[in-house]
Amino acid sequence: MDEKRAEYLVERYSDTILRIGYTWLRDLDDAKDICQTVLIKLLEDGRTFPDPGQERAWVIRVSVNQCKNWRKSAWFRHRVRLEDAGELSVELPEPEDGSLLEQVNRLPDKYRQAVYLRYYEGYEVREIAALLGRPPALVSTHLARGKEMLKKRLGGTYEQYQ
């Protein structure tokens, strides 16, 4: 494998892949595993694209698919969260309540995915629909409902969150 290509992929996409993994799986360690797996797949594939937008869309599609596969795996479905395993002698820090990203991560999956891709990754509705394999009208509905849920949770007026 080409070392320069590996450095390029890590510099360019590791943050995006990690954020997608965290958004889908809600666990930083799982997101890191997804990031590593996706980067290895990208290195092994060796595909090139005519423009950076197509490459980025492909990377996000691979990341989303990997997250879906991860969630379908028997290991993911049958594991026990550390918090549920029993008493710990170490205090774990709580996520910062009230932050916008924390509230986005608390949305139901279908809304969280659409909101994250639209407002954190900057994709348009038709692009999100293609990435998630859903009709654009459904993505628009998920965005509207997700924004409405966020507005209720965070308080304030709709105009603040546009």
Side-chain angles (χ1 to χ4, degrees), residues 17-38:
I17 298 166
L18 189 62
R19 289 174 188 269
I20 290 170
Y22 184 76
T23 301
W24 273 77
L25 304 172
R26 297 181 184 185
D27 183 90
L28 186 58
D29 292 322
D30 287 346
K32 288 177 182 178
D33 289 342
I34 291 294
C35 185
Q36 179 179 337
T37 302
V38 169

PDB file of all heavy atoms in Angstrom, residues 17-38:
ATOM      1  N   ILE A  17     -15.258  10.277   8.968  1.00  0.00           N
ATOM      2  CA  ILE A  17     -15.643   8.883   9.220  1.00  0.00           C
ATOM      3  C   ILE A  17     -15.909   8.673  10.708  1.00  0.00           C
ATOM      4  O   ILE A  17     -16.889   8.019  11.091  1.00  0.00           O
ATOM      5  CB  ILE A  17     -14.563   7.906   8.713  1.00  0.00           C
ATOM      6  CG1 ILE A  17     -14.384   8.032   7.206  1.00  0.00           C
ATOM      7  CG2 ILE A  17     -14.902   6.473   9.092  1.00  0.00           C
ATOM      8  CD1 ILE A  17     -13.129   7.353   6.671  1.00  0.00           C
ATOM      9  N   LEU A  18     -15.070   9.232  11.544  1.00  0.00           N
ATOM     10  CA  LEU A  18     -15.241   9.103  12.992  1.00  0.00           C
ATOM     11  C   LEU A  18     -16.559   9.730  13.442  1.00  0.00           C
ATOM     12  O   LEU A  18     -17.298   9.149  14.239  1.00  0.00           O
ATOM     13  CB  LEU A  18     -14.067   9.756  13.724  1.00  0.00           C
ATOM     14  CG  LEU A  18     -13.976   9.524  15.215  1.00  0.00           C
ATOM     15  CD1 LEU A  18     -13.790   8.039  15.521  1.00  0.00           C
ATOM     16  CD2 LEU A  18     -12.823  10.319  15.791  1.00  0.00           C
ATOM     17  N   ARG A  19     -16.887  10.888  12.917  1.00  0.00           N
ATOM     18  CA  ARG A  19     -18.141  11.559  13.274  1.00  0.00           C
ATOM     19  C   ARG A  19     -19.354  10.767  12.806  1.00  0.00           C
ATOM     20  O   ARG A  19     -20.346  10.650  13.525  1.00  0.00           O
ATOM     21  CB  ARG A  19     -18.176  12.968  12.708  1.00  0.00           C
ATOM     22  CG  ARG A  19     -17.229  13.913  13.389  1.00  0.00           C
ATOM     23  CD  ARG A  19     -17.208  15.271  12.689  1.00  0.00           C
ATOM     24  NE  ARG A  19     -16.191  16.120  13.203  1.00  0.00           N
ATOM     25  CZ  ARG A  19     -16.360  16.972  14.200  1.00  0.00           C
ATOM     26  NH1 ARG A  19     -17.524  17.053  14.802  1.00  0.00           N
ATOM     27  NH2 ARG A  19     -15.379  17.728  14.606  1.00  0.00           N
ATOM     28  N   ILE A  20     -19.278  10.223  11.606  1.00  0.00           N
ATOM     29  CA  ILE A  20     -20.382   9.400  11.103  1.00  0.00           C
ATOM     30  C   ILE A  20     -20.539   8.162  11.978  1.00  0.00           C
ATOM     31  O   ILE A  20     -21.646   7.797  12.370  1.00  0.00           O
ATOM     32  CB  ILE A  20     -20.162   9.024   9.621  1.00  0.00           C
ATOM     33  CG1 ILE A  20     -20.334  10.262   8.753  1.00  0.00           C
ATOM     34  CG2 ILE A  20     -21.116   7.916   9.183  1.00  0.00           C
ATOM     35  CD1 ILE A  20     -19.899  10.072   7.321  1.00  0.00           C
ATOM     36  N   GLY A  21     -19.431   7.524  12.290  1.00  0.00           N
ATOM     37  CA  GLY A  21     -19.479   6.346  13.151  1.00  0.00           C
ATOM     38  C   GLY A  21     -20.079   6.656  14.508  1.00  0.00           C
ATOM     39  O   GLY A  21     -20.914   5.903  15.012  1.00  0.00           O
ATOM     40  N   TYR A  22     -19.700   7.774  15.083  1.00  0.00           N
ATOM     41  CA  TYR A  22     -20.247   8.146  16.391  1.00  0.00           C
ATOM     42  C   TYR A  22     -21.729   8.471  16.288  1.00  0.00           C
ATOM     43  O   TYR A  22     -22.521   8.113  17.163  1.00  0.00           O
ATOM     44  CB  TYR A  22     -19.480   9.328  16.984  1.00  0.00           C
ATOM     45  CG  TYR A  22     -19.956   9.674  18.373  1.00  0.00           C
ATOM     46  CD1 TYR A  22     -19.584   8.891  19.457  1.00  0.00           C
ATOM     47  CD2 TYR A  22     -20.814  10.743  18.588  1.00  0.00           C
ATOM     48  CE1 TYR A  22     -20.040   9.182  20.732  1.00  0.00           C
ATOM     49  CE2 TYR A  22     -21.275  11.035  19.859  1.00  0.00           C
ATOM     50  CZ  TYR A  22     -20.882  10.252  20.918  1.00  0.00           C
ATOM     51  OH  TYR A  22     -21.349  10.528  22.178  1.00  0.00           O
ATOM     52  N   THR A  23     -22.115   9.146  15.221  1.00  0.00           N
ATOM     53  CA  THR A  23     -23.515   9.497  15.031  1.00  0.00           C
ATOM     54  C   THR A  23     -24.383   8.255  14.889  1.00  0.00           C
ATOM     55  O   THR A  23     -25.472   8.181  15.438  1.00  0.00           O
ATOM     56  CB  THR A  23     -23.674  10.404  13.788  1.00  0.00           C
ATOM     57  OG1 THR A  23     -22.901  11.578  13.981  1.00  0.00           O
ATOM     58  CG2 THR A  23     -25.114  10.796  13.585  1.00  0.00           C
ATOM     59  N   TRP A  24     -23.893   7.258  14.185  1.00  0.00           N
ATOM     60  CA  TRP A  24     -24.665   6.035  13.970  1.00  0.00           C
ATOM     61  C   TRP A  24     -24.639   5.109  15.174  1.00  0.00           C
ATOM     62  O   TRP A  24     -25.635   4.467  15.489  1.00  0.00           O
ATOM     63  CB  TRP A  24     -24.121   5.282  12.758  1.00  0.00           C
ATOM     64  CG  TRP A  24     -24.707   5.729  11.473  1.00  0.00           C
ATOM     65  CD1 TRP A  24     -24.400   6.867  10.774  1.00  0.00           C
ATOM     66  CD2 TRP A  24     -25.708   5.065  10.705  1.00  0.00           C
ATOM     67  NE1 TRP A  24     -25.135   6.935   9.642  1.00  0.00           N
ATOM     68  CE2 TRP A  24     -25.944   5.837   9.565  1.00  0.00           C
ATOM     69  CE3 TRP A  24     -26.407   3.879  10.874  1.00  0.00           C
ATOM     70  CZ2 TRP A  24     -26.870   5.475   8.592  1.00  0.00           C
ATOM     71  CZ3 TRP A  24     -27.317   3.510   9.904  1.00  0.00           C
ATOM     72  CH2 TRP A  24     -27.543   4.306   8.777  1.00  0.00           C
ATOM     73  N   LEU A  25     -23.504   5.006  15.831  1.00  0.00           N
ATOM     74  CA  LEU A  25     -23.328   3.976  16.859  1.00  0.00           C
ATOM     75  C   LEU A  25     -23.382   4.507  18.284  1.00  0.00           C
ATOM     76  O   LEU A  25     -23.485   3.731  19.228  1.00  0.00           O
ATOM     77  CB  LEU A  25     -22.007   3.237  16.625  1.00  0.00           C
ATOM     78  CG  LEU A  25     -21.872   2.625  15.231  1.00  0.00           C
ATOM     79  CD1 LEU A  25     -20.469   2.091  15.019  1.00  0.00           C
ATOM     80  CD2 LEU A  25     -22.916   1.557  14.998  1.00  0.00           C
ATOM     81  N   ARG A  26     -23.223   5.819  18.433  1.00  0.00           N
ATOM     82  CA  ARG A  26     -23.285   6.483  19.739  1.00  0.00           C
ATOM     83  C   ARG A  26     -22.240   5.958  20.718  1.00  0.00           C
ATOM     84  O   ARG A  26     -22.469   5.898  21.920  1.00  0.00           O
ATOM     85  CB  ARG A  26     -24.671   6.362  20.331  1.00  0.00           C
ATOM     86  CG  ARG A  26     -25.724   7.043  19.505  1.00  0.00           C
ATOM     87  CD  ARG A  26     -27.058   6.916  20.126  1.00  0.00           C
ATOM     88  NE  ARG A  26     -28.044   7.505  19.226  1.00  0.00           N
ATOM     89  CZ  ARG A  26     -29.297   7.635  19.534  1.00  0.00           C
ATOM     90  NH1 ARG A  26     -29.739   7.235  20.696  1.00  0.00           N
ATOM     91  NH2 ARG A  26     -30.138   8.173  18.681  1.00  0.00           N
ATOM     92  N   ASP A  27     -21.122   5.534  20.211  1.00  0.00           N
ATOM     93  CA  ASP A  27     -20.044   5.032  21.056  1.00  0.00           C
ATOM     94  C   ASP A  27     -18.722   5.376  20.380  1.00  0.00           C
ATOM     95  O   ASP A  27     -18.497   4.990  19.226  1.00  0.00           O
ATOM     96  CB  ASP A  27     -20.178   3.513  21.226  1.00  0.00           C
ATOM     97  CG  ASP A  27     -19.122   2.966  22.164  1.00  0.00           C
ATOM     98  OD1 ASP A  27     -19.389   2.916  23.375  1.00  0.00           O
ATOM     99  OD2 ASP A  27     -18.029   2.605  21.673  1.00  0.00           O
ATOM    100  N   LEU A  28     -17.859   6.096  21.076  1.00  0.00           N
ATOM    101  CA  LEU A  28     -16.609   6.563  20.481  1.00  0.00           C
ATOM    102  C   LEU A  28     -15.687   5.403  20.115  1.00  0.00           C
ATOM    103  O   LEU A  28     -15.050   5.422  19.063  1.00  0.00           O
ATOM    104  CB  LEU A  28     -15.901   7.537  21.418  1.00  0.00           C
ATOM    105  CG  LEU A  28     -14.657   8.211  20.852  1.00  0.00           C
ATOM    106  CD1 LEU A  28     -14.973   8.976  19.571  1.00  0.00           C
ATOM    107  CD2 LEU A  28     -14.050   9.138  21.875  1.00  0.00           C
ATOM    108  N   ASP A  29     -15.623   4.380  20.947  1.00  0.00           N
ATOM    109  CA  ASP A  29     -14.745   3.249  20.638  1.00  0.00           C
ATOM    110  C   ASP A  29     -15.226   2.498  19.390  1.00  0.00           C
ATOM    111  O   ASP A  29     -14.416   2.101  18.552  1.00  0.00           O
ATOM    112  CB  ASP A  29     -14.650   2.301  21.832  1.00  0.00           C
ATOM    113  CG  ASP A  29     -13.918   2.946  22.997  1.00  0.00           C
ATOM    114  OD1 ASP A  29     -12.943   3.678  22.753  1.00  0.00           O
ATOM    115  OD2 ASP A  29     -14.323   2.716  24.152  1.00  0.00           O
ATOM    116  N   ASP A  30     -16.539   2.307  19.269  1.00  0.00           N
ATOM    117  CA  ASP A  30     -17.080   1.683  18.060  1.00  0.00           C
ATOM    118  C   ASP A  30     -16.805   2.558  16.843  1.00  0.00           C
ATOM    119  O   ASP A  30     -16.470   2.064  15.769  1.00  0.00           O
ATOM    120  CB  ASP A  30     -18.583   1.441  18.193  1.00  0.00           C
ATOM    121  CG  ASP A  30     -18.912   0.295  19.129  1.00  0.00           C
ATOM    122  OD1 ASP A  30     -18.003  -0.489  19.477  1.00  0.00           O
ATOM    123  OD2 ASP A  30     -20.092   0.174  19.514  1.00  0.00           O
ATOM    124  N   ALA A  31     -16.939   3.860  17.017  1.00  0.00           N
ATOM    125  CA  ALA A  31     -16.683   4.786  15.910  1.00  0.00           C
ATOM    126  C   ALA A  31     -15.221   4.712  15.464  1.00  0.00           C
ATOM    127  O   ALA A  31     -14.928   4.771  14.264  1.00  0.00           O
ATOM    128  CB  ALA A  31     -17.038   6.207  16.325  1.00  0.00           C
ATOM    129  N   LYS A  32     -14.312   4.557  16.414  1.00  0.00           N
ATOM    130  CA  LYS A  32     -12.890   4.411  16.062  1.00  0.00           C
ATOM    131  C   LYS A  32     -12.654   3.116  15.279  1.00  0.00           C
ATOM    132  O   LYS A  32     -11.877   3.092  14.326  1.00  0.00           O
ATOM    133  CB  LYS A  32     -12.025   4.432  17.317  1.00  0.00           C
ATOM    134  CG  LYS A  32     -11.928   5.803  17.954  1.00  0.00           C
ATOM    135  CD  LYS A  32     -11.121   5.746  19.240  1.00  0.00           C
ATOM    136  CE  LYS A  32     -11.046   7.092  19.910  1.00  0.00           C
ATOM    137  NZ  LYS A  32     -10.301   7.035  21.180  1.00  0.00           N
ATOM    138  N   ASP A  33     -13.327   2.044  15.702  1.00  0.00           N
ATOM    139  CA  ASP A  33     -13.218   0.785  14.965  1.00  0.00           C
ATOM    140  C   ASP A  33     -13.746   0.936  13.536  1.00  0.00           C
ATOM    141  O   ASP A  33     -13.147   0.432  12.590  1.00  0.00           O
ATOM    142  CB  ASP A  33     -13.980  -0.336  15.683  1.00  0.00           C
ATOM    143  CG  ASP A  33     -13.305  -0.773  16.973  1.00  0.00           C
ATOM    144  OD1 ASP A  33     -12.104  -0.480  17.139  1.00  0.00           O
ATOM    145  OD2 ASP A  33     -13.984  -1.407  17.802  1.00  0.00           O
ATOM    146  N   ILE A  34     -14.854   1.623  13.395  1.00  0.00           N
ATOM    147  CA  ILE A  34     -15.431   1.870  12.066  1.00  0.00           C
ATOM    148  C   ILE A  34     -14.453   2.682  11.226  1.00  0.00           C
ATOM    149  O   ILE A  34     -14.211   2.379  10.059  1.00  0.00           O
ATOM    150  CB  ILE A  34     -16.784   2.611  12.183  1.00  0.00           C
ATOM    151  CG1 ILE A  34     -17.842   1.698  12.786  1.00  0.00           C
ATOM    152  CG2 ILE A  34     -17.244   3.172  10.842  1.00  0.00           C
ATOM    153  CD1 ILE A  34     -18.226   0.514  11.941  1.00  0.00           C
ATOM    154  N   CYS A  35     -13.885   3.708  11.820  1.00  0.00           N
ATOM    155  CA  CYS A  35     -12.938   4.569  11.100  1.00  0.00           C
ATOM    156  C   CYS A  35     -11.754   3.751  10.586  1.00  0.00           C
ATOM    157  O   CYS A  35     -11.378   3.853   9.412  1.00  0.00           O
ATOM    158  CB  CYS A  35     -12.463   5.694  12.019  1.00  0.00           C
ATOM    159  SG  CYS A  35     -11.415   6.909  11.207  1.00  0.00           S
ATOM    160  N   GLN A  36     -11.197   2.931  11.440  1.00  0.00           N
ATOM    161  CA  GLN A  36     -10.063   2.095  11.043  1.00  0.00           C
ATOM    162  C   GLN A  36     -10.464   1.139   9.921  1.00  0.00           C
ATOM    163  O   GLN A  36      -9.753   1.003   8.926  1.00  0.00           O
ATOM    164  CB  GLN A  36      -9.554   1.317  12.244  1.00  0.00           C
ATOM    165  CG  GLN A  36      -8.403   0.397  11.928  1.00  0.00           C
ATOM    166  CD  GLN A  36      -7.920  -0.342  13.161  1.00  0.00           C
ATOM    167  OE1 GLN A  36      -8.122   0.084  14.288  1.00  0.00           O
ATOM    168  NE2 GLN A  36      -7.266  -1.459  12.943  1.00  0.00           N
ATOM    169  N   THR A  37     -11.606   0.493  10.059  1.00  0.00           N
ATOM    170  CA  THR A  37     -12.073  -0.462   9.051  1.00  0.00           C
ATOM    171  C   THR A  37     -12.303   0.218   7.705  1.00  0.00           C
ATOM    172  O   THR A  37     -11.897  -0.299   6.661  1.00  0.00           O
ATOM    173  CB  THR A  37     -13.376  -1.146   9.531  1.00  0.00           C
ATOM    174  OG1 THR A  37     -13.120  -1.783  10.776  1.00  0.00           O
ATOM    175  CG2 THR A  37     -13.875  -2.156   8.523  1.00  0.00           C
ATOM    176  N   VAL A  38     -12.948   1.380   7.734  1.00  0.00           N
ATOM    177  CA  VAL A  38     -13.243   2.094   6.487  1.00  0.00           C
ATOM    178  C   VAL A  38     -11.955   2.564   5.822  1.00  0.00           C
ATOM    179  O   VAL A  38     -11.788   2.421   4.601  1.00  0.00           O
ATOM    180  CB  VAL A  38     -14.199   3.276   6.746  1.00  0.00           C
ATOM    181  CG1 VAL A  38     -14.302   4.182   5.535  1.00  0.00           C
ATOM    182  CG2 VAL A  38     -15.580   2.757   7.133  1.00  0.00           C
TER     183      VAL A  38
END
